[in-house]
Short mmCIF file of all heavy atoms in Angstrom, two decimals:
data_model
loop_
_atom_site.label_atom_id
_atom_site.label_comp_id
_atom_site.label_asym_id
_atom_site.label_seq_id
_atom_site.Cartn_x
_atom_site.Cartn_y
_atom_site.Cartn_z
N ASP A 1 -15.28 -31.77 -20.58
CA ASP A 1 -14.88 -33.16 -20.76
C ASP A 1 -13.65 -33.53 -19.96
O ASP A 1 -13.57 -34.63 -19.40
CB ASP A 1 -14.68 -33.49 -22.25
CG ASP A 1 -13.78 -32.47 -22.96
OD1 ASP A 1 -13.14 -31.62 -22.30
OD2 ASP A 1 -13.72 -32.52 -24.23
N ASP A 2 -12.66 -32.64 -19.87
CA ASP A 2 -11.45 -32.94 -19.12
C ASP A 2 -11.11 -31.88 -18.08
O ASP A 2 -10.08 -31.96 -17.41
CB ASP A 2 -10.27 -33.16 -20.05
CG ASP A 2 -9.90 -31.92 -20.86
OD1 ASP A 2 -10.56 -30.86 -20.70
OD2 ASP A 2 -8.95 -31.99 -21.67
N LEU A 3 -11.96 -30.85 -17.97
CA LEU A 3 -11.80 -29.76 -17.01
C LEU A 3 -10.48 -29.00 -17.19
O LEU A 3 -9.92 -28.46 -16.23
CB LEU A 3 -11.93 -30.27 -15.56
CG LEU A 3 -13.29 -30.87 -15.19
CD1 LEU A 3 -13.29 -31.30 -13.73
CD2 LEU A 3 -14.41 -29.87 -15.45
N SER A 4 -10.00 -28.93 -18.44
CA SER A 4 -8.86 -28.07 -18.75
C SER A 4 -9.37 -26.63 -18.88
O SER A 4 -10.49 -26.37 -19.30
CB SER A 4 -8.17 -28.52 -20.03
OG SER A 4 -9.07 -28.54 -21.13
N LEU A 5 -8.49 -25.68 -18.55
CA LEU A 5 -8.88 -24.28 -18.48
C LEU A 5 -8.94 -23.66 -19.86
O LEU A 5 -8.01 -23.73 -20.64
CB LEU A 5 -7.90 -23.51 -17.59
CG LEU A 5 -8.24 -22.04 -17.31
CD1 LEU A 5 -9.51 -21.93 -16.47
CD2 LEU A 5 -7.07 -21.33 -16.60
N LEU A 6 -10.05 -23.02 -20.16
CA LEU A 6 -10.23 -22.29 -21.40
C LEU A 6 -9.93 -20.80 -21.24
O LEU A 6 -9.26 -20.19 -22.07
CB LEU A 6 -11.67 -22.49 -21.92
CG LEU A 6 -12.16 -21.52 -23.02
CD1 LEU A 6 -11.31 -21.65 -24.28
CD2 LEU A 6 -13.65 -21.76 -23.31
N ASP A 7 -10.43 -20.22 -20.15
CA ASP A 7 -10.32 -18.77 -19.98
C ASP A 7 -10.53 -18.43 -18.52
O ASP A 7 -11.21 -19.17 -17.78
CB ASP A 7 -11.38 -18.05 -20.84
CG ASP A 7 -11.24 -16.53 -20.82
OD1 ASP A 7 -10.10 -16.05 -20.74
OD2 ASP A 7 -12.29 -15.84 -20.91
N GLU A 8 -9.95 -17.32 -18.09
CA GLU A 8 -10.21 -16.82 -16.75
C GLU A 8 -10.11 -15.31 -16.74
O GLU A 8 -9.37 -14.70 -17.48
CB GLU A 8 -9.29 -17.44 -15.70
CG GLU A 8 -7.88 -17.05 -15.72
CD GLU A 8 -7.09 -17.64 -14.55
OE1 GLU A 8 -7.34 -17.26 -13.40
OE2 GLU A 8 -6.23 -18.49 -14.81
N PHE A 9 -10.90 -14.71 -15.84
CA PHE A 9 -10.94 -13.27 -15.72
C PHE A 9 -11.39 -12.91 -14.31
O PHE A 9 -12.29 -13.54 -13.77
CB PHE A 9 -11.90 -12.66 -16.75
CG PHE A 9 -11.80 -11.17 -16.87
CD1 PHE A 9 -10.76 -10.60 -17.58
CD2 PHE A 9 -12.72 -10.34 -16.27
CE1 PHE A 9 -10.66 -9.21 -17.70
CE2 PHE A 9 -12.62 -8.96 -16.36
CZ PHE A 9 -11.58 -8.40 -17.09
N THR A 10 -10.76 -11.87 -13.74
CA THR A 10 -11.09 -11.43 -12.39
C THR A 10 -11.32 -9.92 -12.36
O THR A 10 -10.55 -9.15 -12.92
CB THR A 10 -9.97 -11.77 -11.39
OG1 THR A 10 -9.77 -13.18 -11.37
CG2 THR A 10 -10.34 -11.30 -9.99
N ILE A 11 -12.40 -9.54 -11.72
CA ILE A 11 -12.67 -8.14 -11.43
C ILE A 11 -12.37 -7.90 -9.95
O ILE A 11 -12.90 -8.59 -9.08
CB ILE A 11 -14.13 -7.77 -11.72
CG1 ILE A 11 -14.48 -8.06 -13.18
CG2 ILE A 11 -14.39 -6.30 -11.40
CD1 ILE A 11 -15.96 -7.92 -13.49
N TYR A 12 -11.50 -6.94 -9.68
CA TYR A 12 -11.17 -6.58 -8.30
C TYR A 12 -11.82 -5.25 -7.94
O TYR A 12 -11.87 -4.32 -8.76
CB TYR A 12 -9.65 -6.44 -8.12
CG TYR A 12 -8.87 -7.72 -8.30
CD1 TYR A 12 -8.16 -7.97 -9.46
CD2 TYR A 12 -8.84 -8.67 -7.28
CE1 TYR A 12 -7.44 -9.15 -9.61
CE2 TYR A 12 -8.12 -9.84 -7.42
CZ TYR A 12 -7.43 -10.06 -8.60
OH TYR A 12 -6.71 -11.24 -8.75
N LYS A 13 -12.32 -5.20 -6.73
CA LYS A 13 -12.77 -3.95 -6.14
C LYS A 13 -11.85 -3.64 -4.98
O LYS A 13 -11.85 -4.35 -3.98
CB LYS A 13 -14.22 -4.03 -5.69
CG LYS A 13 -15.24 -4.05 -6.82
CD LYS A 13 -16.65 -4.03 -6.27
CE LYS A 13 -17.67 -4.01 -7.41
NZ LYS A 13 -19.07 -3.98 -6.89
N ALA A 14 -11.06 -2.60 -5.10
CA ALA A 14 -10.07 -2.27 -4.10
C ALA A 14 -10.44 -0.97 -3.40
O ALA A 14 -10.84 0.01 -4.05
CB ALA A 14 -8.69 -2.15 -4.71
N ASP A 15 -10.30 -0.95 -2.07
CA ASP A 15 -10.57 0.23 -1.26
C ASP A 15 -9.25 0.73 -0.68
O ASP A 15 -8.63 0.07 0.15
CB ASP A 15 -11.54 -0.15 -0.13
CG ASP A 15 -11.96 1.06 0.69
OD1 ASP A 15 -11.46 2.18 0.44
OD2 ASP A 15 -12.79 0.88 1.63
N ASN A 16 -8.82 1.90 -1.14
CA ASN A 16 -7.54 2.44 -0.69
C ASN A 16 -7.68 3.42 0.47
O ASN A 16 -6.72 4.13 0.82
CB ASN A 16 -6.82 3.13 -1.86
CG ASN A 16 -7.56 4.34 -2.41
OD1 ASN A 16 -8.51 4.83 -1.80
ND2 ASN A 16 -7.14 4.81 -3.58
N THR A 17 -8.86 3.49 1.08
CA THR A 17 -9.10 4.47 2.12
C THR A 17 -8.14 4.34 3.30
O THR A 17 -7.59 5.32 3.80
CB THR A 17 -10.56 4.37 2.62
OG1 THR A 17 -11.46 4.53 1.53
CG2 THR A 17 -10.85 5.46 3.66
N ALA A 18 -7.95 3.10 3.78
CA ALA A 18 -7.09 2.90 4.94
C ALA A 18 -5.66 3.33 4.66
O ALA A 18 -5.02 3.96 5.51
CB ALA A 18 -7.13 1.42 5.36
N LEU A 19 -5.16 3.00 3.48
CA LEU A 19 -3.79 3.38 3.13
C LEU A 19 -3.68 4.90 3.00
O LEU A 19 -2.72 5.51 3.47
CB LEU A 19 -3.36 2.70 1.83
CG LEU A 19 -1.95 2.97 1.36
CD1 LEU A 19 -0.92 2.53 2.40
CD2 LEU A 19 -1.67 2.27 0.02
N LEU A 20 -4.64 5.52 2.36
CA LEU A 20 -4.62 6.98 2.22
C LEU A 20 -4.65 7.66 3.58
O LEU A 20 -3.91 8.63 3.82
CB LEU A 20 -5.83 7.43 1.37
CG LEU A 20 -5.99 8.93 1.18
CD1 LEU A 20 -4.80 9.53 0.46
CD2 LEU A 20 -7.28 9.23 0.40
N ASN A 21 -5.50 7.19 4.47
CA ASN A 21 -5.58 7.78 5.80
C ASN A 21 -4.27 7.64 6.58
O ASN A 21 -3.85 8.56 7.29
CB ASN A 21 -6.72 7.16 6.60
CG ASN A 21 -8.09 7.55 6.08
OD1 ASN A 21 -8.23 8.54 5.35
ND2 ASN A 21 -9.11 6.78 6.44
N LYS A 22 -3.62 6.49 6.45
CA LYS A 22 -2.36 6.27 7.14
C LYS A 22 -1.28 7.20 6.60
O LYS A 22 -0.49 7.77 7.36
CB LYS A 22 -1.93 4.81 7.01
CG LYS A 22 -0.56 4.48 7.61
CD LYS A 22 -0.45 4.89 9.08
CE LYS A 22 -1.41 4.16 9.95
NZ LYS A 22 -1.22 4.53 11.39
N ILE A 23 -1.21 7.38 5.29
CA ILE A 23 -0.24 8.30 4.70
C ILE A 23 -0.46 9.72 5.22
O ILE A 23 0.49 10.40 5.62
CB ILE A 23 -0.33 8.26 3.16
CG1 ILE A 23 0.17 6.92 2.63
CG2 ILE A 23 0.46 9.40 2.53
CD1 ILE A 23 -0.05 6.73 1.14
N ASN A 24 -1.69 10.16 5.23
CA ASN A 24 -2.00 11.51 5.70
C ASN A 24 -1.68 11.66 7.18
O ASN A 24 -1.17 12.70 7.62
CB ASN A 24 -3.46 11.83 5.44
CG ASN A 24 -3.77 12.00 3.96
OD1 ASN A 24 -2.89 12.35 3.18
ND2 ASN A 24 -5.02 11.76 3.57
N GLU A 25 -1.97 10.64 7.97
CA GLU A 25 -1.67 10.68 9.39
C GLU A 25 -0.18 10.85 9.64
O GLU A 25 0.24 11.67 10.46
CB GLU A 25 -2.16 9.38 10.05
CG GLU A 25 -1.77 9.23 11.52
CD GLU A 25 -2.06 7.83 12.04
OE1 GLU A 25 -2.97 7.17 11.51
OE2 GLU A 25 -1.34 7.40 12.97
N LEU A 26 0.64 10.08 8.95
CA LEU A 26 2.08 10.15 9.14
C LEU A 26 2.65 11.48 8.66
O LEU A 26 3.56 12.06 9.28
CB LEU A 26 2.76 8.99 8.41
CG LEU A 26 2.45 7.60 8.97
CD1 LEU A 26 3.01 6.52 8.07
CD2 LEU A 26 3.03 7.45 10.38
N LYS A 27 2.13 11.99 7.57
CA LYS A 27 2.61 13.29 7.06
C LYS A 27 2.26 14.42 8.04
O LYS A 27 3.04 15.37 8.21
CB LYS A 27 2.02 13.56 5.68
CG LYS A 27 2.67 12.75 4.57
CD LYS A 27 2.17 13.19 3.20
CE LYS A 27 2.96 12.58 2.09
NZ LYS A 27 2.53 13.02 0.75
N ASN A 28 1.11 14.32 8.66
CA ASN A 28 0.70 15.36 9.60
C ASN A 28 1.52 15.34 10.90
O ASN A 28 1.46 16.29 11.68
CB ASN A 28 -0.79 15.21 9.93
CG ASN A 28 -1.67 15.59 8.75
OD1 ASN A 28 -1.29 16.37 7.88
ND2 ASN A 28 -2.88 15.02 8.70
N MET A 29 2.27 14.28 11.14
CA MET A 29 3.12 14.19 12.31
C MET A 29 4.41 14.99 12.15
O MET A 29 5.14 15.20 13.12
CB MET A 29 3.44 12.72 12.61
CG MET A 29 2.23 11.89 13.01
SD MET A 29 2.59 10.12 13.17
CE MET A 29 3.70 10.15 14.56
N ASN A 30 4.70 15.41 10.92
CA ASN A 30 5.88 16.22 10.64
C ASN A 30 7.16 15.56 11.18
O ASN A 30 7.99 16.20 11.84
CB ASN A 30 5.73 17.63 11.21
CG ASN A 30 4.62 18.41 10.55
OD1 ASN A 30 4.46 18.38 9.33
ND2 ASN A 30 3.83 19.12 11.35
N LEU A 31 7.32 14.30 10.89
CA LEU A 31 8.53 13.59 11.30
C LEU A 31 9.75 14.16 10.59
O LEU A 31 9.69 14.53 9.42
CB LEU A 31 8.39 12.10 10.99
CG LEU A 31 7.21 11.37 11.65
CD1 LEU A 31 7.11 9.95 11.12
CD2 LEU A 31 7.36 11.37 13.16
N SER A 32 10.89 14.21 11.32
CA SER A 32 12.12 14.78 10.77
C SER A 32 13.18 13.71 10.63
O SER A 32 13.44 12.94 11.55
CB SER A 32 12.63 15.90 11.68
OG SER A 32 13.87 16.38 11.21
N GLU A 33 13.78 13.64 9.45
CA GLU A 33 14.82 12.67 9.17
C GLU A 33 15.97 12.74 10.15
O GLU A 33 16.55 11.72 10.55
CB GLU A 33 15.34 12.86 7.74
CG GLU A 33 16.44 11.87 7.34
CD GLU A 33 16.90 12.05 5.90
OE1 GLU A 33 16.35 12.95 5.22
OE2 GLU A 33 17.81 11.33 5.48
N SER A 34 16.32 13.96 10.60
CA SER A 34 17.46 14.15 11.50
C SER A 34 17.25 13.52 12.87
O SER A 34 18.20 13.34 13.62
CB SER A 34 17.77 15.63 11.66
OG SER A 34 16.66 16.32 12.23
N ASP A 35 16.03 13.20 13.21
CA ASP A 35 15.72 12.61 14.51
C ASP A 35 15.93 11.12 14.57
O ASP A 35 15.85 10.53 15.66
CB ASP A 35 14.28 12.93 14.92
CG ASP A 35 14.05 14.40 15.20
OD1 ASP A 35 15.04 15.12 15.45
OD2 ASP A 35 12.87 14.84 15.16
N TYR A 36 16.17 10.48 13.43
CA TYR A 36 16.18 9.02 13.39
C TYR A 36 17.46 8.50 12.72
O TYR A 36 18.12 9.22 11.97
CB TYR A 36 14.95 8.49 12.66
CG TYR A 36 13.66 8.95 13.29
CD1 TYR A 36 12.98 10.08 12.83
CD2 TYR A 36 13.12 8.28 14.38
CE1 TYR A 36 11.80 10.52 13.43
CE2 TYR A 36 11.95 8.70 14.99
CZ TYR A 36 11.30 9.83 14.51
OH TYR A 36 10.15 10.25 15.11
N THR A 37 17.78 7.28 13.01
CA THR A 37 18.95 6.66 12.39
C THR A 37 18.76 6.56 10.90
O THR A 37 17.63 6.49 10.39
CB THR A 37 19.19 5.26 12.97
OG1 THR A 37 18.07 4.40 12.68
CG2 THR A 37 19.42 5.32 14.48
N LYS A 38 19.88 6.54 10.19
CA LYS A 38 19.86 6.55 8.73
C LYS A 38 19.09 5.35 8.18
O LYS A 38 18.25 5.49 7.29
CB LYS A 38 21.28 6.57 8.21
CG LYS A 38 21.38 6.59 6.69
CD LYS A 38 22.83 6.64 6.24
CE LYS A 38 22.93 6.63 4.72
NZ LYS A 38 24.37 6.68 4.27
N ASP A 39 19.38 4.16 8.68
CA ASP A 39 18.77 2.94 8.14
C ASP A 39 17.26 2.90 8.39
O ASP A 39 16.47 2.55 7.51
CB ASP A 39 19.44 1.70 8.73
CG ASP A 39 20.85 1.49 8.19
OD1 ASP A 39 21.21 2.12 7.17
OD2 ASP A 39 21.60 0.70 8.82
N SER A 40 16.85 3.24 9.63
CA SER A 40 15.43 3.17 9.94
C SER A 40 14.64 4.22 9.16
O SER A 40 13.52 3.97 8.74
CB SER A 40 15.19 3.32 11.44
OG SER A 40 15.49 4.63 11.91
N TRP A 41 15.23 5.40 8.97
CA TRP A 41 14.54 6.43 8.20
C TRP A 41 14.41 6.03 6.73
O TRP A 41 13.37 6.27 6.12
CB TRP A 41 15.25 7.77 8.32
CG TRP A 41 14.52 8.84 7.55
CD1 TRP A 41 14.80 9.30 6.30
CD2 TRP A 41 13.36 9.53 7.99
NE1 TRP A 41 13.88 10.24 5.94
CE2 TRP A 41 12.98 10.42 6.96
CE3 TRP A 41 12.60 9.52 9.16
CZ2 TRP A 41 11.88 11.26 7.07
CZ3 TRP A 41 11.50 10.36 9.27
CH2 TRP A 41 11.16 11.22 8.22
N LYS A 42 15.44 5.41 6.18
CA LYS A 42 15.36 4.98 4.78
C LYS A 42 14.25 3.96 4.59
O LYS A 42 13.50 4.03 3.61
CB LYS A 42 16.69 4.39 4.33
CG LYS A 42 16.71 4.03 2.83
CD LYS A 42 18.06 3.50 2.41
CE LYS A 42 18.10 3.26 0.88
NZ LYS A 42 16.98 2.45 0.37
#
């Protein structure tokens, strides 16, 4: 009658594959904190 909201619900399907792959890629590079400036490493 007035289009006021009664209820809402959302189902999300999330794919974390890209993020997981990026984390593994960076870890496999064996980056060293001593090689970089303090601020950029933080």
Side-chain angles (χ1 to χ4, degrees):
D1 50 11
D2 63 0
L3 297 182
S4 57
L5 185 66
L6 165 62
D7 186 33
E8 70 175 293
F9 191 78
T10 300
I11 302 171
Y12 294 103
K13 288 184 178 181
D15 184 356
N16 63 13
T17 304
L19 182 60
L20 177 62
N21 289 341
K22 176 56 63 177
I23 291 173
N24 291 335
E25 173 191 333
L26 294 172
K27 285 187 170 182
N28 290 335
M29 294 173 66
N30 295 318
L31 301 173
S32 176
E33 180 178 359
S34 62
D35 292 340
Y36 302 95
T37 62
K38 180 179 179 181
D39 288 344
S40 69
W41 181 262
K42 185 178 185 308

